[in-house]
Amino acid sequence: MHIREYGQSGPLVVVLHGGPAAPGYMAPVASELADLFRVLEPMQRGSGAEPLTVARHVADLHELVEARCGKARPALVGHSWGAMLALAYAAAHPGCTAGLVLIGCGTFDPVARARMRAILEERMDDGLRRRMERLQWEFPDPNERLRVLGNLTLPLYSYEILSSGLGAEVCDALAHRETWEDMVRLQEKGVYPATFAAIDVPVIMLHGAADPHPGQMIQAGLKPYLPQLEYYEWERCGHYPWLERHVGVEFFAVLRDWLSRLFTGDHPKVTSDFTGTREAR
């Protein structure tokens, strides 16, 4: 894996992008943390001769942790699919992480996924539907088509975003499909979220109320296996908090504060001291 490094000193943080298979767009998050932490941003494995699996991604991440972190236990900061990967990794390798931050975490059950699809459908208009239907002819390359689709549907995932694109370096449509299909297969077999019960480090979800991923439903599904799970939600915020006009600054304040207290031994506990936020009941 190609790995970007940020910062010269401080505790280790590994930032995990989503997609799956959309590397590069987490650079703003990694850069913002670089004054307090040493940050690694791996570009996850793309498609190849063998189908991609969750286990393969977990193994790649473990190789990175062993090679770059030594005896230190890094915090994992994952977004969307990256949040799911952080959970899968921590469950497979107890004792190898200091804590987990799940930003805009993906779904772990068919009910939550159905709710997400319904939200997206409600937000679409006929013009967008027609535009999406034309993509297969306008962009015959599936990787380019996935990239364009992501930017085209970005408003559906946002509240008031300050960007017209995510800045992903490249999209790998086959890696996206193979990885997500394996994650769904493992959920259907009952592997996830049940194995998350092995995770004994602090975990927090940072979520936007306008994110079509139904945050409170996802939290409710995870809580029986992660009783330590904290949940922090912003009203005027979508799937990419750091790009949102109303909460971008505050998002980084919450993230930096939680990580700092994680590494100083002050057990992280989100408060409501930040203006414009609320915690789920």
Side-chain angles (χ1 to χ4, degrees):
M1 292 186 296
H2 172 62
I3 302 166
R4 292 174 176 164
E5 297 190 38
Y6 306 76
Q8 302 298 318
S9 62
L12 277 161
V13 174
V14 180
V15 173
L16 301 173
H17 67 76
Y25 73 83
M26 288 290 281
V29 177
S31 296
E32 185 67 24
L33 297 175
D35 62 331
L36 295 178
F37 309 98
R38 187 157 67 90
V39 186
L40 304 177
E41 182 197 5
M43 310 295 138
Q44 297 160 32
R45 182 187 296 261
S47 57
E50 298 182 1
L52 271 177
T53 63
V54 175
R56 179 67 266 175
H57 286 295
V58 167
D60 286 346
L61 182 54
H62 192 54
E63 290 177 13
L64 165 66
V65 170
E66 288 192 318
R68 296 294 187 95
C69 300
K71 295 182 179 180
R73 296 193 304 164
L76 303 184
V77 177
H79 175 253
S80 196
W81 146 256
M84 304 172 83
L85 175 58
L87 288 165
Y89 176 80
H93 297 282
C96 290
T97 63
L100 310 179
V101 180
L102 316 177
I103 307 169
C105 187
T107 59
F108 287 99
D109 64 78
V111 177
R113 278 194 293 280
R115 178 57 188 148
M116 177 180 171
R117 287 193 295 269
I119 293 170
L120 290 171
E121 183 64 25
E122 291 168 3
R123 295 179 182 179
M124 288 187 194
D125 58 27
D126 290 339
L128 179 57
R129 292 188 184 92
R130 288 192 295 269
R131 182 76 178 86
M132 292 171 61
E133 290 171 358
R134 295 197 302 268
L135 288 182
Q136 60 181 323
W137 294 285
E138 294 177 356
F139 300 93
D141 182 296
N143 297 334
E144 179 65 8
R145 186 164 63 246
L146 182 61
R147 185 191 66 80
V148 173
L149 178 64
N151 291 332
L152 187 63
T153 58
L154 184 57
L156 304 180
Y157 288 81
S158 308
Y159 184 84
E160 190 174 345
I161 203 166
L162 295 173
S163 174
S164 60
L166 294 180
E169 291 187 343
V170 66
C171 289
D172 187 329
L174 180 57
H176 175 91
R177 178 174 59 81
E178 290 175 344
T179 299
W180 184 247
E181 286 179 352
D182 191 54
M183 170 55 77
V184 172
R185 179 186 66 84
L186 291 167
Q187 292 179 18
E188 291 173 345
K189 288 182 63 178
V191 175
Y192 302 130
T195 56
F196 299 158
I199 300 172
D200 62 357
V201 295
V203 185
I204 187 171
M205 285 180 67
L206 301 179
H207 217 88
D211 189 338
H213 297 78
Q216 295 188 36
M217 290 181 68
I218 295 168
Q219 178 215 22
L222 291 174
K223 194 73 171 179
Y225 310 99
L226 292 167
Q228 75 274 34
L229 177 65
E230 300 171 63
Y231 184 78
Y232 198 78
E233 182 179 272
W234 289 272
E235 286 287 355
R236 298 188 293 174
C237 180
H239 193 49
Y240 304 91
W242 63 95
L243 298 178
E244 290 281 355
R245 179 183 302 278
H246 300 285
V247 303
V249 172
E250 188 179 323
F251 162 76
F252 282 119
V254 172
L255 176 60
R256 288 158 62 92
D257 178 69
W258 195 89
L259 288 171
S260 294
R261 287 185 286 115
L262 174 72
F263 286 113
T264 57
D266 181 6
H267 182 72
K269 184 67 178 178
V270 169
T271 68
S272 56
D273 294 336
F274 300 96
T275 303
T277 64
R278 70 175 178 85
E279 296 182 72
R281 290 190 298 273

